[in-house]
Amino acid sequence: MTITDTPTTGTVADAPTPGGRPHRPLPLGSIEPRGWLLDQLRLQADNITGQLEAIWPDVGPDSGWRGGPGENWERGPYYLDGLVPLAHVLHDQRLLDLATPWIEWILGSQREDGFFGPSGNDDWWPRMVALKVLTQHADATGDERVAPFLERYFRHQLAALPERPLTSWGRARGADNALSVWWLYERTGDAWLLELVDLLAAQTIRWDDYLANDLITGPARTFSHRTHGPNVAMGLKTGAVDALRDHDVDGHARRTESSFGNLDRWHGQANGWFSGDEWLGGREATAGIETCQVVEMMFTASVHAQVYGRAVDGDRLENLAYNLLPASSDPEMRGHQYHQQANQVEVSVARREWSFSSDDAGIFGLEPHFGCCTANLHQGWPKFVSHLWLRDDDGLRVVAYAPSEVSTSVGNDAVSITVDTEYPFDETVTIRVSTERTEPFALRVRIPSWASEATLTVGGAAVALDTAVDGYVTLSRDWSSAGDVVLVLPMRARVVRRERQAAAVRLGPLTMVYSPGERWLSHDGAPGIGEWEVHARQSWNWALSDLRDASEWRVTRGVVPDAPWSLRDRKSAAVVLHAPGARATEWRMAGAQADTPPFSPVLDHGPDDDLRLVPYGSARLRVTEFPVIGNWRDVDDVDEPAGR
């Protein structure tokens, strides 16, 4: 069978289900990127993802997941988990042709007892990723072979898991396996699948119990699956997956929030997320965050949106997509970092105090430190696109705002939605609904938690926002003649307190940082497309001052560049926040990285200046956590949960 690029719409994937996710994903390919988001995905398709098979043998023709003698564990499935959605959201035939032999080999590898995959590896874990690949492929193409394939495999699991239970990585990540079981259950309603859901849950780490009650309270110094950053990011979806079975959505949501709160308390970073430089790394601004952790946390946030249905889930997804995800790669997506830092003032091969990583973990390249991120980074942007909107029983809801187009149906009626915006670089989002359906249906519009001055109109008429439930305003209309939905989200600077009375700054969904300018140095003879260090062009050691008037700081906007998350210079960034600041003259380097910020208030400093802050995701060198000149008692505490 040849993979096609025609999404399945208005079919089984859209039909009422016997149980499962309250807010259902649209079929892969139904949501397409536009504007700057399309530019970003084309960069990925033309560079690291589109070239990976040719430059990295681990996903080349010898891969064990294509029947060859090569790597046969997680790297092939990881790569496909990004390649397949990227191919379908772009409707890119070249990428579809790359995916075809992988899909065909996997479908043809199933044994008589239902097991599948490389014969030299029987680990449950990489097959969990392969299951996600197959369900996405089926959603996009309607391939009728996938459901019976999954049924045979799940019957094998139901019989085999009591004697050969989940261990190691599989035990940490069992919720991903259960999601694929739910995918089949939502289509068949077969009760025996719920037995498998229960069995997988019994063999999976109880993540919310651990994160809420037993979380390590400082940087981890020895390996444990419970302290491995990507495991934590994947494990955070376990409660939401459990809620599909026991229907205690509110209870699991509360426990998930406790987990986020505890992670923020002990490992929270100035960028809004928890550290994980291989293992949980504490709160210092030079702790790292692994690229695998970023993309897996994005997928977890999208699962939370499908189950919990709250605005905060979209807030978190946007925070990751508009800060940590672009920062993890160079602006053209030719290479990536294994770890990124909130205060990252030099990218080089040098010793840093990671919990566990090599000296090259911070450079941009093909395979810094370890190849898991090389294989796994590809899912970030395309899955962000595919989860921008969800289906409710009575209509549609927006999870995250980005320039995009949706082709779907409500009942038997075709519906097209165009989202016209340069958000997050701009404040206005215009949603245009096109349909011949005259019967009303619901459109749920998310109001971000930071957007205290938001306004919403439909066809020019104002809509009250005090009717919002869990951050969503429900608009029920005859959309054939309702007019444009216009959401204006005024972005004003917000200050977040850190250790030593330091400060971080937010602007809408963006974390804003100081960039000292970037001088990129290429490594000769590097593998892949290239390998780069980055060094500062000028001093980085700045402090903020006069925080009392932060909400009045001036914002200037420019043109979004062709490489949307590039930084030509600090004066021509897509968004610049003008903050008062001065040099913190005693703040110096500690080896190859910034020392911890000095205690505030800083007394030894230079003259006042206009400190131009730019988006975190655009600056590969940056200061995110600043010391402060002045008195914190003049500033309201604005401690935000992770990802807000």
Side-chain angles (χ1 to χ4, degrees):
M1 175 183 177
T2 300
I3 298 177
T4 69
D5 61 353
T6 304
T8 304
T9 57
T11 62
V12 173
D14 296 329
T17 61
R21 287 163 277 204
H23 316 289
R24 300 181 295 282
L26 298 176
L28 178 62
S30 300
I31 308 173
E32 301 176 36
R34 301 176 69 246
W36 74 258
L37 186 56
L38 176 59
D39 292 341
Q40 184 66 37
L41 269 77
R42 283 260 46 108
L43 286 171
Q44 178 177 343
D46 293 341
N47 291 298
I48 187 61
T49 304
Q51 298 187 44
L52 193 63
E53 291 189 28
I55 62 177
W56 199 44
D58 280 9
V59 297
D62 288 339
S63 168
W65 286 91
R66 293 181 61 173
E71 199 275 343
N72 65 4
W73 191 44
E74 66 181 9
R75 295 184 181 183
Y78 263 161
Y79 164 59
L80 290 180
D81 197 27
L83 174 65
V84 168
L86 181 64
H88 284 290
V89 299
L90 289 177
H91 302 290
D92 186 310
Q93 191 59 50
R94 184 180 74 87
L95 298 182
L96 291 165
D97 290 343
L98 285 176
T100 297
W102 296 85
I103 297 292
E104 292 302 313
W105 188 88
I106 292 171
L107 288 172
S109 71
Q110 193 163 43
R111 302 185 321 209
E112 193 171 312
D113 66 356
F115 200 64
F116 73 95
S119 59
N121 188 305
D122 67 354
D123 192 347
W124 297 114
W125 154 239
R127 287 161 178 84
M128 297 180 189
V129 187
L131 295 173
K132 290 194 293 181
V133 172
L134 292 177
T135 57
Q136 292 175 93
H137 161 71
D139 280 342
T141 67
D143 191 334
E144 296 179 353
R145 298 174 296 173
V146 172
F149 179 98
L150 266 57
E151 179 180 348
R152 291 188 292 270
Y153 179 66
F154 292 149
R155 288 192 181 278
H156 172 83
Q157 281 199 302
L158 187 60
L161 281 171
E163 298 299 325
R164 192 168 76 87
L166 302 181
T167 59
S168 187
W169 304 101
R171 184 165 178 263
R173 303 168 176 182
D176 286 79
N177 196 149
L179 275 177
S180 296
V181 180
W182 278 109
W183 182 92
L184 186 60
Y185 180 77
E186 288 165 352
R187 286 151 180 78
T188 68
D190 290 340
W192 66 268
L193 290 168
L194 299 181
E195 297 179 41
L196 179 55
V197 167
D198 293 341
L199 183 56
L200 289 165
Q203 295 184 7
T204 299
I205 292 172
R206 297 292 86 202
W207 279 102
D208 282 337
D209 291 344
Y210 166 71
L211 294 172
N213 301 315
D214 301 311
L215 178 66
I216 187 171
T217 58
R221 297 306 180 196
T222 59
F223 174 75
S224 163
H225 281 291
R226 288 176 169 83
T227 61
H228 179 64
N231 279 357
V232 174
M234 295 184 202
L236 278 163
K237 71 169 71 72
T238 302
V241 174
D242 288 346
L244 297 176
R245 180 68 168 120
D246 62 23
H247 308 295
D248 184 15
V249 174
D250 291 341
H252 284 293
R254 286 194 298 272
R255 287 186 282 276
T256 298
E257 290 308 304
S258 294
S259 295
F260 273 124
N262 223 20
L263 283 164
D264 187 62
R265 178 184 180 187
W266 297 111
H267 302 283
Q269 294 286 291
N271 51 38
W273 288 94
F274 55 91
S275 63
D277 40 27
E278 198 67 39
W279 311 327
L280 293 173
R283 286 180 59 88
E284 295 296 357
T286 49
I289 297 179
E290 186 180 331
T291 294
C292 277
Q293 181 176 325
V294 174
V295 296
E296 292 295 350
M297 193 62 243
M298 289 181 67
F299 182 57
T300 290
S302 71
V303 172
H304 288 168
Q306 294 164 31
V307 179
Y308 298 149
R310 311 161 304 173
V312 68
D313 305 315
D315 291 352
R316 287 177 172 140
L317 183 58
E318 286 186 358
N319 181 283
L320 290 157
Y322 296 152
N323 295 287
L324 277 70
L325 179 63
S328 66
S329 296
D330 72 282
E332 287 78 29
M333 291 201 72
R334 300 167 296 173
H336 72 283
Q337 289 180 293
Y338 193 83
H339 294 317
Q340 61 180 273
Q341 297 170 294
N343 282 2
Q344 182 169 281
V345 299
E346 178 180 304
V347 171
S348 61
V349 179
R351 176 179 173 80
R352 290 171 175 80
E353 295 304 318
W354 313 121
S355 59
F356 177 79
S357 287
S358 57
D359 290 351
D360 69 342
I363 64 170
F364 292 94
L366 174 66
E367 192 180 3
H369 181 55
F370 191 67
C372 58
C373 296
T374 308
N376 197 19
L377 68 89
H378 312 272
Q379 67 169 302
W381 285 114
K383 285 190 181 179
F384 177 64
V385 173
S386 68
H387 292 108
L388 288 172
W389 288 78
L390 292 172
R391 176 179 301 286
D392 292 343
D393 287 339
D394 59 349
L396 301 163
R397 71 171 55 213
V398 60
V399 175
Y401 294 110
S404 54
E405 188 168 349
V406 184
S407 299
T408 186
S409 60
V410 174
N412 295 319
D413 301 306
V415 175
S416 297
I417 297 174
T418 300
V419 181
D420 185 11
T421 187
E422 287 193 340
Y423 183 90
F425 307 109
D426 198 12
E427 300 177 331
T428 301
V429 180
T430 301
I431 301 173
R432 298 185 175 94
V433 182
S434 177
T435 183
E436 295 182 2
R437 178 188 175 100
T438 57
E439 183 179 348
F441 66 90
L443 196 70
R444 289 185 172 85
V445 177
R446 175 181 138 261
I447 309 301
S449 59
W450 52 264
S452 59
E453 300 177 13
T455 62
L456 178 65
T457 61
V458 180
V463 176
L465 301 185
D466 57 6
T467 61
V469 177
D470 288 333
Y472 275 94
V473 174
T474 299
L475 307 173
S476 188
R477 301 271 194 294
D478 167 7
W479 290 103
S480 66
S481 58
D484 292 350
V485 177
V486 180
L487 178 65
V488 180
L489 301 168
M491 299 180 187
R492 302 190 185 279
R494 313 183 312 279
V495 176
V496 180
R497 192 169 77 177
R498 300 289 301 167
E499 277 76 8
R500 306 176 190 86
Q501 299 186 356
V505 179
R506 308 272 196 271
L507 184 73
L510 300 172
T511 295
M512 302 300 286
V513 303
Y514 174 73
S515 168
E518 299 172 358
R519 184 166 55 91
W520 289 70
L521 301 179
S522 178
H523 286 181
D524 293 339
I529 304 174
E531 195 170 81
W532 298 270
E533 296 187 3
V534 191
H535 295 266
R537 289 190 175 276
Q538 51 192 295
S539 298
W540 55 266
N541 53 339
W542 286 79
L544 295 169
S545 63
D546 197 14
L547 301 182
R548 291 168 294 182
D549 298 323
S551 64
E552 302 301 319
W553 291 349
R554 184 166 59 96
V555 178
T556 57
R557 290 183 166 85
V559 176
V560 181
D562 292 339
W565 297 97
S566 61
L567 187 64
R568 292 166 293 175
D569 60 68
R570 289 167 291 141
K571 295 182 180 180
S572 61
V575 181
V576 176
L577 177 63
H578 299 262
R583 284 278 306 281
T585 54
E586 295 302 313
W587 191 15
R588 305 294 175 84
M589 296 285 284
Q593 60 188 22
D595 204 348
T596 54
F599 280 90
S600 299
V602 172
L603 302 178
D604 190 355
H605 58 82
D608 292 342
D609 203 345
D610 176 20
L611 188 60
R612 296 169 180 261
L613 306 183
V614 299
Y616 179 106
S618 298
R620 275 65 184 184
L621 296 186
R622 57 189 167 259
V623 176
T624 308
E625 183 172 312
F626 296 88
V628 176
I629 300 165
N631 195 328
W632 259 107
R633 287 178 296 182
D634 296 328
V635 183
D636 292 335
D637 289 354
V638 191
D639 290 324
E640 297 183 344
R644 295 283 293 278

